[in-house]
Amino acid sequence: MKGERILLAHGAGGKLSHDLLRELFLPFFNNDILRVLDDSAIIPTEPSKLAFTTDSYVVKPLSFPGGDIGRLAICGTVNDLAMAGARPLGLSASFILEEGFSIEDLEKVLSSMREAAEEAGVMVVAGDTKVVEHGAAEGLYITTTGIGVVPEGVDIRGSKARSGDWIIINGPIGDHEIAVLIARGDFSLQGETKSDCAPLNGLVEAMLKACPDIHCMRDPTRGGLATVLWEIANASGVGVVIEEEKVLIREEVRVVCDLLGFDPYYLANEGKLIAFVPEEETEGLLRMMKAHRLGKGAVVIGRVTAENPGKVLLRTRIGGHRLLDPLSDEQFPRIC
């Protein structure tokens, strides 16, 4: 990467983000815990394991249908802990404020964060604020860090997908990114689409009670469903096949994608999860998920195979196959 410069696509969650982490950051901070590159780092302690994660939020605009930067920051970090099966213990929040930012708008963001934290059953227990000169930022950036405890017997990792696993998702894809895009107003689009932004820890806790042997779990945020499936296929050395007719996409999301030429399989989500589950556990887990308010749309979308390791195939409605590579460029920047 010598001689290159940072592009917006390096922050889009696709192949360039993956290359930046592996080729630039990992050589400086390489260790057994970080090298796994799951949503949370698992730190062995006695008698249980701790999950630890951090993320920054720079979404533009700060508010959008279904949420704002505050709700996004709480839900995003809670969900990264949940994807390791961890129960969140506490969060920290660091704010970078631009000189001139409205106190009234800041109060709205803080209120939204409090509401999301109460919904997730977690407290913000530490924080920091910095103010930069006018023009040095775009209003407000938030960094949240979370720590959680992994229950005994739970071992969820991106490298644990096995041939024969079934793949479950808890609802339609693409709502968050399209909601942010419409709120941005760049394309004079109008619509009713709301972000799916939600804390998933309650749903995950119930899923683990029904099926403690969930192999992999991930929330398809930046880079969307296609990139996350590709990451797991590569980490586990398996192939993945998903069925086009099983993946739910709202009509509004599909229409916007058709108008602008975007691919819904690469759109970000903030309230969706995918789970890789042993076949014999799938039916019971689906039944349990559909009884939860955030899992009503749960459906099996595909399976893991021993063929084509490291590749993700989409079986189309007419029986053909399309290769889903990781996102190679940004569809939209600043969506989380």
Side-chain angles (χ1 to χ4, degrees), residues 228-248:
V228 165
L229 290 173
W230 178 86
E231 289 173 351
I232 292 177
N234 277 269
S236 299
V238 296
V240 166
V241 179
I242 59 171
E243 307 286 336
E244 184 180 29
E245 64 180 357
K246 299 289 186 183
V247 179
L248 301 176

Side-chain angles (χ1 to χ4, degrees), residues 299-317:
V299 62
V300 172
I301 59 170
R303 59 191 169 84
V304 177
T305 70
E307 297 83 34
N308 302 310
K311 297 190 183 304
V312 179
L313 295 177
L314 174 71
R315 208 167 89 95
T316 65
R317 286 183 170 83

Side-chain angles (χ1 to χ4, degrees), residues 74-93:
I74 297 293
C75 293
T77 296
V78 165
N79 291 348
D80 281 347
L81 292 173
M83 294 308 108
R87 177 171 54 83
L89 296 175
L91 306 182
S92 72

Side-chain angles (χ1 to χ4, degrees), residues 186-199:
D186 290 345
F187 299 98
S188 301
L189 294 171
Q190 293 185 337
E192 303 294 327
T193 304
K194 290 184 178 179
S195 168
D196 57 351
C197 190

Side-chain angles (χ1 to χ4, degrees), residues 6-262:
I6 293 295
L7 307 173
L8 281 173
H10 282 115
K15 186 176 185 306
L16 288 185
S17 299
H18 187 80
D19 291 347
L20 187 71
L21 284 175
R22 289 213 171 271
E23 296 176 23
L24 188 65
F25 283 86
L26 270 186
F28 285 98
F29 304 118
N30 196 13
N31 59 69
D32 290 342
I33 294 176
L34 179 63
R35 195 180 302 121
V36 178
L37 292 181
D38 280 339
D39 283 348
S40 288
I42 302 302
I43 303 171
T45 58
E46 294 295 340
S48 53
K49 295 179 290 186
L50 293 178
F52 189 47
T53 187
T54 190
D55 211 339
S56 297
Y57 297 87
V58 296
V59 64
K60 179 183 177 182
L62 296 178
S63 296
F64 44 84
D68 61 17
I69 190 173
R71 181 173 178 81
L72 196 60
I74 297 293
C75 293
T77 296
V78 165
N79 291 348
D80 281 347
L81 292 173
M83 294 308 108
R87 177 171 54 83
L89 296 175
L91 306 182
S92 72
S94 176
F95 299 81
I96 295 179
L97 295 155
E98 183 185 18
E99 178 187 23
F101 190 71
S102 160
I103 294 291
E104 183 180 353
D105 288 342
L106 181 57
E107 283 182 333
K108 290 178 183 174
V109 170
L110 295 175
S111 175
S112 180
M113 292 179 77
R114 179 177 60 187
E115 188 176 293
E118 288 175 351
E119 195 177 331
V122 65
M123 293 187 292
V124 177
V125 295
D128 183 46
T129 59
K130 294 289 187 297
V131 178
V132 297
E133 295 85 354
H134 180 70
E138 286 193 75
L140 170 64
Y141 304 143
I142 302 176
T143 297
T144 43
T145 300
I147 190 165
V149 62
V150 181
E152 189 175 351
V154 172
D155 183 17
I156 299 173
R157 285 175 282 150
S159 59
K160 281 192 65 183
R162 297 291 178 264
S163 176
D165 283 354
W166 289 85
I167 305 167
I168 296 174
I169 192 167
N170 64 322
I173 61 172
D175 292 357
H176 173 72
E177 192 153 346
I178 293 302
V180 173
L181 174 70
I182 291 174
R184 201 174 286 176
D186 290 345
F187 299 98
S188 301
L189 294 171
Q190 293 185 337
E192 303 294 327
T193 304
K194 290 184 178 179
S195 168
D196 57 351
C197 190
L200 295 169
N201 56 313
L203 174 61
V204 171
E205 195 170 328
M207 290 172 66
L208 287 171
K209 283 181 182 173
C211 177
D213 192 26
I214 294 173
H215 291 162
C216 308
M217 204 179 292
R218 194 67 68 83
D219 54 341
T221 54
R222 292 178 308 163
L225 178 63
T227 301
V228 165
L229 290 173
W230 178 86
E231 289 173 351
I232 292 177
N234 277 269
S236 299
V238 296
V240 166
V241 179
I242 59 171
E243 307 286 336
E244 184 180 29
E245 64 180 357
K246 299 289 186 183
V247 179
L248 301 176
I249 303 168
R250 295 187 202 279
E251 187 58 25
E252 279 194 6
V253 172
R254 196 182 294 280
V255 167
V256 173
C257 286
D258 288 345
L259 280 172
L260 300 179
F262 292 117

